[in-house]
Amino acid sequence: MAQKIYSATGRRKTSVARVNLREGKGGLTINDRTLDEYFGRETARMVVLQPFQVTQTGGSFDAEINVTGGGISGQAGAIRHGITRALMLANADYRGPLKKAGFVTRDPREVERKKYGRHKARKRPQYSKR
């Protein structure tokens, strides 16, 4: 019998992560690399593994993740969101603890566009009285 694959998409800032979760021994591959190879930063690795820690499913799922766009922080957040959604598909009972931890809601914050007549999105040119 073929293993059940739980697919979900996670998003954060401009990053998109496609997550395929299957029952296994806890292996994580991100863009054909291991977690430690892909994220040099410890905080990013911690963010990625948070959903497994909350649901106590550390060694029971293998995750194959494809992530594009954004930077390190955004990609880590997108992967966390994708893993959360995939875990909820695997077992609906995980929704409560994941929701309480705040991983179910997509972070809606995006970069504000630059306006004309401004240096950045909100920074005004220097005012000169004389």
Side-chain angles (χ1 to χ4, degrees), residues 73-89:
S73 171
Q75 287 191 351
I79 291 169
R80 179 175 78 178
H81 190 229
I83 290 171
T84 299
R85 285 178 154 188
L87 282 170
M88 289 191 311
L89 289 173

